[in-house]
Amino acid sequence: FTGTAEAGSTVTLYADGVTALGSSVATGGTWSITTNPLSQGTRTVTAKATDAAGNVSTASAPLTLTIDTTAPTLAITSNVST
């Protein structure tokens, strides 16, 4: 995940508004956070920034993701000869 925030602020990502996924300091106004894999299902990810004075932003607009870890099924239904 990547985004922008006030330079020097700490950005924290949340899944479903409660579970912290990770945090990073915004360098030059940009941040990047790599998380562990999310569990299967629909997840809403938001971010909040905390500046050096301790002020916490409101949550970002949500990013809704559908995590699908189920492998597709495949069946051979006929033999086509050439």
Side-chain angles (χ1 to χ4, degrees), residues 8-27:
S9 63
T10 299
V11 176
T12 304
L13 282 182
Y14 296 92
D16 304 323
V18 292
T19 304
L21 298 174
S23 62
S24 176
V25 174
T27 303

Side-chain angles (χ1 to χ4, degrees):
F1 298 91
T2 61
T4 59
E6 178 182 333
S9 63
T10 299
V11 176
T12 304
L13 282 182
Y14 296 92
D16 304 323
V18 292
T19 304
L21 298 174
S23 62
S24 176
V25 174
T27 303
T30 60
W31 57 268
S32 176
I33 299 173
T34 300
T35 68
N36 289 324
L38 297 171
S39 59
Q40 175 131 343
T42 300
R43 303 284 168 253
T44 301
V45 177
T46 56
K48 290 184 181 181
T50 304
D51 66 14
N55 301 310
V56 180
S57 72
T58 58
S60 66
L63 172 64
T64 302
L65 307 168
T66 300
I67 309 299
D68 180 1
T69 60
T70 304
T73 58
L74 172 67
I76 298 173
T77 58
S78 66
N79 180 11
V80 179
S81 60
T82 56

